[in-house]
Amino acid sequence: MNYVVSFLAMAIKFATVFLFGATGEIINQKSGHLNMGTPGIMYFGALGGTIGERIYLDTVAAGQPLNPFLIFLVPTLFAILFGAIGGFVFSFFTVTLHCNQNVTGLTLTTLLVGISCFFISAINKEGMSDAGLLLQNAWPGYKAAGWFGEIFLSQSYFTYFGVIVAVGAACVISFTRVGLNLRAVGENASSADSAGIPVQKYRYIATIIGGAIAGIGGAFYELDNAMGMSFEAADGIDAFGWLALCIVIFSLWKPAIAIGASFLFACLSIAPDFFAPYLGAAGFVTYILKMAPYVATIVVLTVVSIVDKKQQAPANLGVPYFREDR
Amino acid sequence: MTIKSLVKKLSLPFYLTKRIGFSKKKYWAIRAGGIVLAFLAAGIVCTCLKPGSFGEFYVQMFMGCFDPTDITIFVDLLVRFSILLLISVILIPPFKMRFWNIGAEGQILVGGLVAGGIAKFAPASLPNIVVLLICLAGAMLASTIWSLIPTIFKAFFNTNETLFTLMMNYIASTLSLMMIYIWVPTGSQNFGALTHGIFPTILGNPGTLAVAFTAVIFAGMYLYITKGKHGYEVTVLGESVDTARYIGINVKKVTIRTMATSGALFGVVGFFIVCAVNQSFSATIVGGQGFTGVLIAWLGHFNPLEVALFAFLSSVMTQGTSRVHMPSSAQFSAICTGVFFFIIIACEFFSSYKISWRHNEKKEASV
């Protein structure tokens, strides 16, 4: 029982990283822009988060207690800023300069992973592991609620914020005029343009907001899971970014489904490490579990393309829009 | 406020038009400017990270690629360049028919895995050349299968190939880790140095022979892309699927054939990387070159000669910057390579669009 509880609690924590990345990327892709820079942007957000935490820790006088909410808030604001910068660079190149999205995204990932690794390793990490532990104190008395508390109330502010952002994004995309316009831009940019929707503006804003949200995911991983201790531990943030891209497809471009999908992918990601000690000779099974998220994504992608062509990606995904081309 | 003044207020001070019939001279002038700027930018990045090292940076970079006293450094560069060139050129046919194959990384890795596995377990009694040929055949077969899986779904169900091939990369990488786990009982992350089924070391580098073979494959690909009937069919298909169908091209057949060809050739690349360059196998052996190849093929406008130029410049950039004395040189190299590609991408814009300023237009109108 204890084992299941700690597994689920850990999975939810891990899912938060995916959820931010996937929600950001869904907003991005709904505007018709496939941003393969997301893994890099998540890493860049981690750099922003680390800088933010350093600044906060430096302002607190020695011996003074740290405020868990501020440990969440200050790095998050920095991560949003850094993620937004990453998103802006991507949209400047793809929207204004009409560059190929795949090429720009891959380059952005190379550049941002390089920059983030370089600077994160240079930042003084003193006090960050204590701050990382404090992050989980969103509900200090969670142990009183038994297994429910252990699983759902032991999480950090980031997790609750992530769910709020995903639900908010789902509502905006499905139920508001802005969301309708955004979908129109992603499905058919020239029709949207004729209907008077400012295509470029929508694409810019969607990419910047998407980048900002993805950046928070990277910061959360760096500050909580890796506890800000070593940058080697955070080496895999770009790998989570690619998994976030899988989740976008897996959840059929719907942020609400992405919440469940993130949890599922998180379970599959942490299961190998949880089960490894019990497998013995069958240790290769852990690799099959690691493969599962990608295979599942491919299955969803192909089944959707065979069964219902309309449910696939936004129709204009990856297509640059230049008015003169019409 | 009249509508006219509102429009005036909202519009940008410039507008864009697509360039048509752009002279080759101007095009290359812009590109050359971009390349110079990109190399300058790398120096500036270096100076920012380590003040006062601007001149030193270029000296170290030059010596890291073309050191006249040490031929092996230049051979290293040639080997790096050959692998990158092969990957980029093999990606040209799929890209030309607008099949966005970003799965080169995985397709090469699977070929390398099979080649490495055969070399590792081949009986020592077999002659080296026979083992090498079996490795080559196995690698080509594996990579072909790996690249045909997404292709068949694309051809028959129009499944999004960008996302599919991207997923296949990660499956290939996990599969490699699993096979290493099964085959290497010590728990090491690689196969260890292969003793059988390897290329001879010439000029201090085991990859030298692969460079020679690359030249042959490049020449073949150049003819295939620019002169052959297959290359023509691929070009038409990329321009317009309907046109291709009207002139009697079997779209499904061409798609599958092109991807099978490029898959088989990726097997050769995997074979070179494992049996020649590294003489070992690990899951990170391709090291992102599959993605860099995508960038280069696109920036070279699918023209094999232009692709060769960019592959060379990129190799110089990567190898040169990784040998500059910096605290974390791998990351520094990644930053410089990223800046390099961004500037070239930006140049792309200036050579395909024309910026016209609105105040010029007004003057022209009044004259």
Side-chain angles (χ1 to χ4, degrees):
Chain A
M1 185 66 188
N2 259 341
Y3 204 69
V4 176
V5 167
S6 63
F7 179 82
L8 290 178
M10 183 79 185
I12 289 177
K13 189 185 198 183
F14 223 82
T16 308
V17 180
F18 293 141
L19 185 57
F20 277 114
T23 310
E25 183 67 20
I26 288 174
I27 295 174
N28 219 315
Q29 294 198 8
K30 278 284 176 191
S31 75
H33 274 210
L34 174 62
N35 186 355
M36 288 212 265
T38 294
I41 290 175
M42 286 177 80
Y43 227 133
F44 202 47
L47 173 64
T50 317
I51 293 174
E53 182 148 304
R54 186 72 260 154
I55 290 173
Y56 171 66
L57 291 176
D58 285 347
T59 54
V60 178
Q64 292 291 312
L66 296 170
N67 182 338
F69 186 69
L70 284 178
I71 297 177
F72 155 72
L73 189 67
V74 178
T76 302
L77 292 178
F78 273 85
I80 288 175
L81 178 70
F82 275 59
I85 292 172
F88 173 77
V89 171
F90 180 79
S91 48
F92 178 73
F93 273 84
T94 52
V95 179
T96 301
L97 301 188
H98 304 284
C99 292
N100 180 300
Q101 294 169 18
N102 295 346
V103 172
T104 311
L106 291 174
T107 313
L108 190 63
T109 295
T110 313
L111 179 67
L112 293 185
V113 170
I115 291 179
S116 311
C117 272
F118 192 91
F119 287 104
I120 287 179
S121 60
I123 291 173
N124 172 15
K125 308 284 193 323
E126 202 188 332
M128 285 201 183
S129 52
D130 295 338
L133 286 172
L134 268 180
L135 260 183
Q136 284 141 36
N137 270 359
W139 315 96
Y142 68 86
K143 287 218 164 103
W147 61 268
F148 182 82
E150 292 272 353
I151 297 174
F152 296 106
L153 302 180
S154 68
Q155 308 295 340
S156 66
Y157 291 104
F158 281 100
T159 307
Y160 309 113
F161 185 54
V163 175
I164 293 170
V165 167
V167 173
C171 293
V172 170
I173 289 173
S174 308
F175 304 121
T176 65
R177 179 170 288 272
V178 174
L180 182 66
N181 289 350
L182 179 68
R183 279 181 284 150
V185 168
E187 291 293 339
N188 192 331
S190 52
S191 305
D193 198 12
S194 355
I197 302 170
V199 173
Q200 299 214 335
K201 196 171 131 196
Y202 264 89
R203 289 192 157 176
Y204 256 103
I205 294 175
T207 318
I208 291 173
I209 292 178
I213 294 174
I216 304 173
F220 170 64
Y221 181 78
E222 172 69 15
L223 299 180
D224 188 306
N225 284 51
M227 306 242 176
M229 279 184 291
S230 67
F231 97 101
E232 284 87 359
D235 233 8
I237 294 180
D238 47 336
F240 300 137
W242 296 117
L243 269 169
L245 271 172
C246 305
I247 294 172
V248 172
I249 307 156
F250 188 85
S251 54
L252 302 174
W253 290 268
K254 291 184 178 68
I257 299 180
I259 299 175
S262 301
F263 177 69
L264 182 69
F265 276 47
C267 286
L268 290 168
S269 301
I270 63 169
D273 292 332
F274 253 78
F275 295 133
Y278 304 96
L279 288 168
F284 67 90
V285 173
T286 57
Y287 294 100
I288 294 176
L289 282 173
K290 275 186 188 158
M291 227 181 268
Y294 305 111
V295 177
T297 306
I298 288 180
V299 169
V300 169
L301 191 66
T302 49
V303 167
V304 165
S305 68
I306 294 168
V307 175
D308 183 0
K309 290 192 171 17
K310 280 186 187 154
Q311 281 282 321
Q312 273 208 59
N316 272 12
L317 187 62
V319 182
Y321 177 62
F322 184 49
R323 206 182 243 177
E324 214 183 71
D325 275 343
R326 271 192 287 173
Chain B
M1 194 186 278
T2 61
I3 293 175
K4 234 181 184 175
S5 66
L6 188 74
V7 168
K8 212 173 157 191
K9 217 174 173 185
L10 285 176
S11 58
L12 292 165
F14 60 87
Y15 60 93
L16 303 175
T17 40
K18 236 177 196 164
R19 287 191 201 264
I20 299 166
F22 196 33
S23 83
K24 276 232 155 123
K25 237 187 219 166
K26 254 188 181 169
Y27 168 78
W28 279 106
I30 290 180
R31 295 226 122 178
I35 292 166
V36 171
L37 198 67
F39 275 90
L40 265 180
I44 293 167
V45 169
C46 182
T47 319
C48 291
L49 299 175
K50 196 172 145 194
S53 57
F54 191 74
E56 205 182 312
F57 168 79
Y58 291 102
V59 173
Q60 286 173 354
M61 206 169 139
F62 181 82
M63 295 303 274
C65 293
F66 310 103
D67 190 344
T69 58
D70 188 355
I71 184 82
T72 55
I73 287 180
F74 184 63
V75 176
D76 278 355
L77 180 73
L78 274 185
V79 170
R80 185 189 292 267
F81 163 63
S82 307
I83 298 293
L84 196 56
L85 174 65
L86 268 187
I87 298 173
S88 320
V89 166
I90 294 167
L91 278 168
I92 292 177
F95 281 0
K96 261 200 157 171
M97 63 174 188
R98 305 208 182 233
F99 185 103
W100 293 110
N101 177 19
I102 50 174
E105 191 90 3
Q107 287 151 22
I108 297 167
L109 193 62
V110 167
L113 172 67
V114 171
I118 293 171
K120 187 173 167 60
F121 293 109
S125 54
L126 277 178
N128 198 28
I129 180 81
V130 175
V131 178
L132 277 177
L133 286 175
I134 300 173
C135 288
L136 176 63
M140 287 174 79
L141 184 68
S143 295
T144 309
I145 293 171
W146 209 254
S147 63
L148 278 184
I149 296 171
T151 311
I152 286 170
F153 281 100
K154 168 75 178 178
F156 288 94
F157 307 112
N158 200 22
T159 310
N160 186 325
E161 79 283 5
T162 315
L163 304 170
F164 202 135
T165 48
L166 183 68
M167 297 300 111
M168 292 298 277
N169 287 338
Y170 297 101
I171 297 178
S173 145
T174 321
L175 184 71
S176 303
L177 286 172
M178 184 167 101
M179 295 324 284
I180 292 172
Y181 178 87
I182 293 173
W183 284 340
V184 184
T186 56
S188 159
Q189 289 295 304
N190 59 56
F191 277 9
L194 295 172
T195 50
H196 215 54
I198 49 174
F199 279 54
T201 300
I202 300 171
L203 289 174
N205 197 313
T208 315
L209 263 185
V211 175
F213 286 121
T214 300
V216 177
I217 298 175
F218 177 76
M221 280 306 278
Y222 179 79
L223 294 176
Y224 178 82
I225 293 163
T226 54
K227 308 278 186 235
K229 182 178 166 229
H230 286 189
Y232 169 73
E233 286 180 342
V234 162
T235 312
V236 175
L237 191 54
E239 294 284 328
S240 156
V241 178
D242 288 330
T243 312
R245 213 178 291 129
Y246 296 156
I247 62 170
I249 293 173
N250 184 338
V251 176
K252 278 177 194 157
K253 193 180 123 193
V254 172
T255 309
I256 292 173
R257 185 187 63 205
T258 309
M259 279 304 285
T261 315
S262 83
L265 288 169
F266 276 135
V268 179
V269 178
F271 165 72
F272 281 163
I273 292 180
V274 170
C275 294
V277 181
N278 291 69
Q279 309 208 324
S280 180
F281 178 81
S282 79
T284 53
I285 209 159
V286 190
Q289 292 184 92
F291 292 119
T292 314
V294 172
L295 304 181
I296 291 174
W298 190 80
L299 290 174
H301 290 142
F302 314 143
N303 172 351
L305 297 177
E306 241 180 292
V307 163
L309 172 71
F310 280 108
F312 184 72
L313 291 174
S314 165
S315 313
V316 168
M317 194 63 155
T318 315
Q319 175 162 333
T321 50
S322 68
R323 295 191 182 182
V324 170
H325 304 304
M326 289 294 278
S328 35
S329 56
Q331 275 88 40
F332 174 69
S333 175
I335 296 175
C336 289
T337 313
V339 169
F340 171 79
F341 278 119
F342 257 122
I343 291 176
I344 309 281
I345 292 174
C347 284
E348 203 59 19
F349 167 76
F350 291 106
S351 54
S352 48
Y353 293 93
K354 190 176 166 206
I355 304 171
S356 312
W357 296 94
R358 287 194 195 275
H359 64 263
N360 286 348
E361 188 191 36
K362 214 185 281 168
K363 261 184 219 156
E364 275 164 28
S366 65
V367 171

